[in-house]
């Protein structure tokens, strides 16, 4: 009887401590808040210069492509950091000329898992989450989530995203130069 009681008590204590340890892990939301806070507090800045907007020729007529602007002149700035794993995080704002030659602002958070095939070379693959506004949508805020990929050499990177879509909309490869100022 005594043995059963002690065994039961030990099992209860062990399961309670396992539950306590499990609940001590930070939630996805608290990890996201922590990452955003660390990025916001970073003293590292970078400059963004949009250089190309490519409309996927499989989804647009030549007539439409001829109408569109594919030189998205603009500028942006962001705060960035590399975490303990060497992955890139950034909070950014950018404005550029969209496909209709109208100003399109975008702001958000970017993350890229980073690989270093050589000392000064990095390859990145990740995502961006943010908001944009377009004149053809009456500048109503539009949430975005899109893939990000880059090739970096020292402080300079060529970074792109692909905006998915359907026939005659989206399916755009947007590319910019990213330069770390410090």
């Amino acid at each position: 009887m005594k043995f059963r009681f002690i065994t039961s008590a030990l099992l209860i204590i062990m399961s309670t401590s396992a539950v306590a340890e499990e609940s001590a892990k930070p939630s996805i939301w608290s990890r996201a808040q922590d990452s955003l806070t660390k990025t916001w507090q970073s003293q590292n800045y970078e400059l963004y210069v949009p250089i190309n907007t490519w409309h996927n020729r499989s989804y647009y007529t030549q007539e439409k492509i001829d109408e569109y602007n594919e030189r998205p002149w603009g500028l942006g700035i962001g705060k960035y950091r590399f975490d303990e794993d060497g992955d890139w995080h950034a909070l950014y704002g950018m404005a550029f000329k969209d496909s209709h030659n109208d100003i399109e602002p975008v702001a958000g958070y970017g993350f890229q898992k980073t690989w270093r095939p050589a000392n000064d070379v990095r390859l990145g693959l990740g995502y961006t989450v943010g908001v944009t506004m377009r004149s053809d949508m009456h500048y109503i805020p539009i949430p975005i989530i899109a893939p990000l990929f880059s090739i970096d050499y020292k402080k300079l990177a060529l970074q792109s995203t692909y905006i998915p879509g359907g026939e005659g909309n989206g399916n755009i490869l947007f590319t910019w130069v990213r330069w770390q100022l410090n």
Side-chain angles (χ1 to χ4, degrees):
M1 178 76 172
K2 221 179 198 183
F3 180 72
R4 282 188 193 161
F5 176 75
I6 292 172
T7 305
S8 298
L10 284 173
L11 287 173
I12 290 170
I13 290 168
M14 288 170 42
S15 65
T16 304
S17 66
V19 169
E21 282 179 29
E22 197 59 35
S23 64
K25 285 184 180 178
S27 68
I28 291 172
W29 177 245
S30 65
R31 286 193 314 254
Q33 286 178 309
D34 183 54
S35 182
L36 289 170
T37 300
K38 285 178 181 174
T39 306
W40 179 254
Q41 291 172 346
S42 171
Q43 297 303 307
N44 299 320
Y45 289 89
E46 50 193 10
L47 191 65
Y48 310 108
V49 180
I51 58 171
N52 195 53
T53 303
W54 179 76
H55 296 79
N56 189 328
R57 276 36 181 178
S58 299
Y59 294 93
Y60 292 93
T61 65
Q62 188 59 48
E63 182 181 327
K64 277 293 186 189
I65 290 169
D66 291 344
E67 290 176 15
Y68 289 148
N69 171 42
E70 291 192 322
R71 298 293 172 248
W73 300 108
L75 197 60
I77 193 159
K79 292 182 110 178
Y80 76 95
R81 69 181 177 89
F82 288 99
D83 65 20
E84 57 279 351
D85 295 328
D87 298 330
W88 174 84
H89 301 256
L91 289 167
Y92 64 87
M94 186 178 351
F96 56 91
K97 294 189 94 175
D98 70 8
S99 302
H100 306 289
N101 266 317
D102 295 322
I103 298 296
E104 180 174 344
V106 62
Y109 168 79
F111 168 81
Q112 286 187 317
K113 186 75 180 158
T114 303
W115 295 270
R116 289 175 164 67
N119 274 347
D120 293 329
V121 177
R122 293 184 305 273
L123 303 175
L125 182 62
Y127 62 89
T128 183
V129 177
V131 64
T132 190
M133 296 185 295
R134 297 178 48 86
S135 65
D136 56 344
M137 303 293 264
H138 308 291
Y139 285 106
I140 294 171
I142 304 163
I144 55 169
I145 184 165
L148 276 181
F149 38 96
S150 69
I151 299 172
D152 306 27
Y153 179 73
K154 294 186 178 182
K155 293 184 171 217
L156 193 63
L158 189 62
Q159 192 168 39
S160 295
T161 187
Y162 189 82
I163 310 301
E167 190 69 34
N169 63 67
N171 293 298
I172 297 168
L173 180 67
F174 179 52
T175 303
W176 58 96
V177 172
R178 191 181 83 221
W179 180 39
Q180 295 170 351
L181 300 174
N182 52 352

